Amino acid sequence: WVSAWGRVGTDHSTEARTLSVASGWLGGYPWYAGRGDFSNGGFQNDDMTRSATNADVLFRAAPTSTSGMSFAFSGGAGLRSDNLDVTLLGSDKLSNASVPAAIAWKAGSSTTYLFGGVEALMRDMASLTVGARQESASPSGGSSTSTLYPAVVATIDLTRLDSASKRGSLESFILHGGWSRSGNDATSSALQRFGLFAATGSFPVGSVSVPELTTGWEAGASLSMMHHRLTADVTAYNERSENLVFPSGTGFLNTGSLANKGIELALTLVPVRTPEGAEWTIGANVSKNSNTVESLGGGLTSVALATPYAGVSVEARAGQSLGALVGLGYLRDASGALLLRNGLPQADSAAGAKVLAESAPSWIGGITTAYHGHGIELSVLVDAHHGGKLFSATNRAGNVSGTFAETAYRPDSGLLITGVDATTKAANATHVTTEAYNHALAPIVERWLYDASFVKLREVRLSYILPLQFVSALRAQTVRASFIARNLMTMSNVPNIDPETVLSTSPVRGLEMGQLPATRTLGVQLTLVP
């Protein structure tokens, strides 16, 4: 009833990137010393070394109990460390005469921790787990911190309060809940989310003095009935994060708070189950999360999460969800009609950049269905993303340059844009060329925002299990032949791109900066179990 084990592992990688820009390049290029000219060529060499080490020991004791109560005790200690070493050297000219000074940047952290807890189980009916973790972190260039992270989780199966004869078709009805405080090592968070070499100079990680803290609770219920032909689970949660790490100039802010709350639902139904073993299953899940930046600290009301691109900035703004899309909108009159000059739309430069949309979705979900029987296995997965907006640089570039099909509409009379003349206040009567119209749209970020919703046929998998007489001839237990197709179809309101690739959890969520076409995968698989 006593066990112990230890683990240790290291992940180490080195990477060298060599970038050459030919003479005659147009449009500049973003690099470590700013946005260079590069019309006479140039180069940039990046050398990066990363390493991460984790080690821990754990002891667990679960004494045998003859009563209705049983206990288990656990404890241990561990160490984790990570380091990043970056050297950047380059020039925006072929000649090395004016090469800016190289940036040599190092950062890392080391964290030690002690943890322990106790688990109590009462007659397989209720359980309670209480634990705590004490972490001491030492970021490079910063002061050490020590933080306690407690947690408590409890479950109770209400069906076990009654006798089996009173349960009917209900196999289980479990209530579960918990409260916890967790932390995010500040230096590791910065390394992963912001890259740390996106601006001139080095980043003083020592300014990230305390870890991010998240305190929250969750509660829910799950049930199973009709011989497990129907199962359902619902969980609600509410959490608040503080000491958030945001990039700011050549350093970081280590302040501010963010609130998240939401609900997750899952349902599984088995409408067909035969004595021969055939079964058809349908599963569905949906989740909705709402987050709000409560404050940023330091008297700030907004922080850019990445370098602005094509006039759009992804920001954290107090009172908005994380990842607000900020830029110039259309110039409009009081009624909302477009104000045109010489027949062309205008950006509302006087009002300046404003929040045009939020990148966060309203909800996400999916449906899966599967059948297996008579040697055949078939499964289909569909998932969906609803709500949120994205900015598409692909559509902006394609329309402004005239390479997309929608720019081919060129009536002899020119285009007549619906709106009001900014000078006369009369209905617009000036025709314009398609080229002039699309060029006028280039600085208007609002034009290039799209609904990020999509429905995707994620995967179809068809398998056939060979009959036993064939399997025995191959001296195998099982032989399965499968056809697998992924990313078969995407339905969305965004032309020319796959919106899913924009919807990551990185700080630049909602910003599409040019992408390769989505890939459809078709394949066959032969699985043999000897």
Coordinates of all heavy atoms in Angstrom, one line a residue, residues 53-56 76-82 109-115 133-139 144-149 185:
T53 N 14.2 21.3 -18.3 CA 14.4 20.2 -17.5 C 13.3 20.0 -16.4 O 12.9 21.0 -15.8 CB 15.8 20.3 -16.8 OG1 16.8 20.3 -17.8 CG2 16.0 19.0 -16.0
N54 N 12.8 18.8 -16.3 CA 11.8 18.6 -15.2 C 12.3 17.3 -14.5 O 12.7 16.3 -15.0 CB 10.4 18.3 -15.9 CG 9.8 19.5 -16.5 OD1 9.2 20.3 -15.8 ND2 10.0 19.8 -17.7
A55 N 12.1 17.4 -13.1 CA 12.4 16.3 -12.3 C 11.5 16.3 -11.1 O 11.2 17.4 -10.6 CB 13.9 16.3 -11.8
D56 N 11.0 15.1 -10.7 CA 10.2 15.1 -9.5 C 10.2 13.7 -8.8 O 10.6 12.7 -9.5 CB 8.7 15.5 -9.8 CG 8.1 14.6 -10.8 OD1 8.6 13.5 -11.1 OD2 7.0 15.0 -11.3
G76 N 5.4 15.0 -2.3 CA 6.6 14.9 -3.1 C 7.3 16.3 -3.3 O 6.9 17.3 -2.7
A77 N 8.3 16.3 -4.2 CA 9.0 17.5 -4.5 C 9.5 17.4 -5.9 O 9.5 16.3 -6.5 CB 10.2 17.6 -3.5
G78 N 9.8 18.6 -6.5 CA 10.2 18.6 -7.9 C 11.0 19.9 -8.2 O 11.1 20.8 -7.4
L79 N 11.5 19.8 -9.4 CA 12.3 21.0 -10.0 C 12.0 21.1 -11.5 O 11.9 20.1 -12.2 CB 13.8 20.7 -9.8 CG 14.7 21.6 -10.6 CD1 14.7 23.0 -10.0 CD2 16.1 21.1 -10.5
R80 N 11.8 22.3 -11.9 CA 11.7 22.5 -13.4 C 12.5 23.8 -13.7 O 12.5 24.8 -12.9 CB 10.3 22.6 -13.8 CG 9.5 23.9 -13.4 CD 8.1 23.9 -14.1 NE 7.4 25.1 -13.7 CZ 6.5 25.2 -12.7 NH1 6.3 24.1 -12.0 NH2 5.9 26.3 -12.4
S81 N 13.1 23.8 -14.8 CA 13.9 25.0 -15.3 C 13.8 25.1 -16.8 O 13.6 24.1 -17.5 CB 15.3 24.8 -14.9 OG 16.0 23.7 -15.5
D82 N 13.8 26.3 -17.3 CA 13.9 26.5 -18.7 C 14.8 27.7 -19.0 O 15.0 28.6 -18.2 CB 12.5 26.8 -19.3 CG 11.8 28.0 -18.7 OD1 12.3 29.1 -18.9 OD2 10.8 27.8 -18.0
S109 N 14.4 30.5 -16.1 CA 13.8 30.5 -14.7 C 14.1 29.1 -14.1 O 14.2 28.1 -14.8 CB 12.3 30.8 -14.7 OG 11.6 29.8 -15.4
S110 N 14.0 29.1 -12.8 CA 14.2 27.8 -12.1 C 13.1 27.8 -11.0 O 13.0 28.8 -10.3 CB 15.6 27.7 -11.5 OG 15.7 26.5 -10.8
T111 N 12.4 26.7 -10.9 CA 11.3 26.6 -9.9 C 11.4 25.3 -9.2 O 11.5 24.2 -9.8 CB 9.9 26.7 -10.6 OG1 9.8 27.9 -11.4 CG2 8.8 26.6 -9.6
T112 N 11.4 25.4 -7.9 CA 11.3 24.2 -7.0 C 9.9 24.2 -6.3 O 9.3 25.2 -6.1 CB 12.4 24.2 -6.0 OG1 12.3 25.4 -5.2 CG2 13.8 24.1 -6.7
Y113 N 9.5 23.0 -6.0 CA 8.1 22.9 -5.4 C 8.0 21.7 -4.5 O 8.7 20.6 -4.7 CB 7.0 22.9 -6.5 CG 7.2 21.8 -7.6 CD1 6.7 20.5 -7.4 CD2 7.9 22.1 -8.8 CE1 6.9 19.6 -8.4 CE2 8.1 21.2 -9.8 CZ 7.6 19.9 -9.6 OH 7.7 19.0 -10.6
L114 N 7.2 21.8 -3.5 CA 6.8 20.8 -2.6 C 5.3 20.6 -2.7 O 4.5 21.6 -2.8 CB 7.2 21.1 -1.2 CG 8.7 21.2 -0.9 CD1 8.9 21.8 0.5 CD2 9.4 19.9 -1.1
F115 N 4.8 19.4 -2.7 CA 3.3 19.2 -2.7 C 2.9 18.0 -1.9 O 3.7 17.1 -1.6 CB 2.9 19.0 -4.2 CG 3.5 17.8 -4.9 CD1 2.9 16.6 -4.8 CD2 4.7 18.0 -5.5 CE1 3.5 15.5 -5.5 CE2 5.3 16.9 -6.2 CZ 4.7 15.7 -6.1
R133 N 0.3 23.0 -3.0 CA 1.6 23.0 -3.7 C 2.3 24.3 -3.4 O 1.7 25.4 -3.6 CB 1.3 22.8 -5.2 CG 2.6 22.8 -6.1 CD 2.1 22.8 -7.5 NE 3.1 22.6 -8.5 CZ 3.4 21.5 -9.0 NH1 2.8 20.4 -8.7 NH2 4.4 21.4 -9.9
Q134 N 3.5 24.2 -2.9 CA 4.3 25.4 -2.6 C 5.4 25.5 -3.6 O 6.3 24.7 -3.7 CB 4.9 25.3 -1.2 CG 5.7 26.5 -0.7 CD 4.9 27.7 -0.4 OE1 3.8 27.6 0.2 NE2 5.3 28.9 -0.8
E135 N 5.4 26.6 -4.4 CA 6.4 26.8 -5.4 C 7.3 28.0 -5.1 O 6.8 29.1 -4.7 CB 5.7 27.1 -6.8 CG 5.1 25.8 -7.4 CD 4.8 26.0 -8.9 OE1 5.1 27.1 -9.4 OE2 4.2 25.0 -9.5
S136 N 8.5 27.9 -5.4 CA 9.5 28.9 -5.3 C 10.2 29.1 -6.6 O 10.8 28.2 -7.1 CB 10.6 28.6 -4.2 OG 10.0 28.5 -2.9
A137 N 10.0 30.3 -7.2 CA 10.4 30.6 -8.6 C 11.5 31.6 -8.5 O 11.5 32.6 -7.8 CB 9.3 31.0 -9.5
S138 N 12.5 31.4 -9.4 CA 13.7 32.3 -9.5 C 13.9 32.7 -11.0 O 14.7 32.0 -11.7 CB 14.9 31.7 -8.9 OG 14.7 31.4 -7.6
P139 N 13.2 33.7 -11.5 CA 13.5 34.1 -12.9 C 14.8 34.8 -13.0 O 15.3 35.5 -12.1 CB 12.3 35.1 -13.2 CG 12.0 35.6 -11.9 CD 12.2 34.5 -10.9
S144 N 13.3 36.3 -6.3 CA 12.6 35.0 -6.1 C 11.3 35.2 -5.5 O 11.1 36.2 -4.7 CB 13.5 34.1 -5.2 OG 14.7 33.8 -5.8
T145 N 10.3 34.4 -5.8 CA 9.0 34.4 -5.2 C 8.6 33.1 -4.7 O 9.1 32.0 -5.2 CB 8.0 34.9 -6.2 OG1 7.9 34.0 -7.3 CG2 8.3 36.3 -6.8
S146 N 7.7 33.1 -3.7 CA 7.2 31.8 -3.2 C 5.7 31.9 -3.0 O 5.2 32.9 -2.5 CB 7.8 31.5 -1.8 OG 7.4 30.3 -1.3
T147 N 5.0 31.0 -3.6 CA 3.5 31.0 -3.7 C 2.9 29.7 -3.3 O 3.4 28.6 -3.7 CB 3.1 31.4 -5.1 OG1 3.8 32.6 -5.5 CG2 1.6 31.8 -5.1
L148 N 1.8 29.7 -2.6 CA 1.1 28.5 -2.2 C -0.1 28.4 -3.1 O -0.9 29.3 -3.3 CB 0.6 28.6 -0.7 CG -0.2 27.4 -0.2 CD1 0.7 26.2 -0.2 CD2 -0.8 27.8 1.2
Y149 N -0.3 27.2 -3.6 CA -1.4 26.9 -4.5 C -2.3 25.8 -3.9 O -1.9 24.6 -4.0 CB -1.0 26.4 -5.9 CG -0.1 27.5 -6.6 CD1 1.2 27.1 -7.0 CD2 -0.6 28.7 -6.9 CE1 2.0 28.1 -7.6 CE2 0.2 29.7 -7.5 CZ 1.5 29.3 -7.9 OH 2.3 30.3 -8.5
D185 N 4.2 30.2 -14.2 CA 5.6 30.8 -14.1 C 5.7 31.9 -15.0 O 5.6 31.8 -16.3 CB 6.6 29.7 -14.4 CG 8.0 30.2 -14.2 OD1 8.5 30.2 -13.1 OD2 8.6 30.6 -15.2

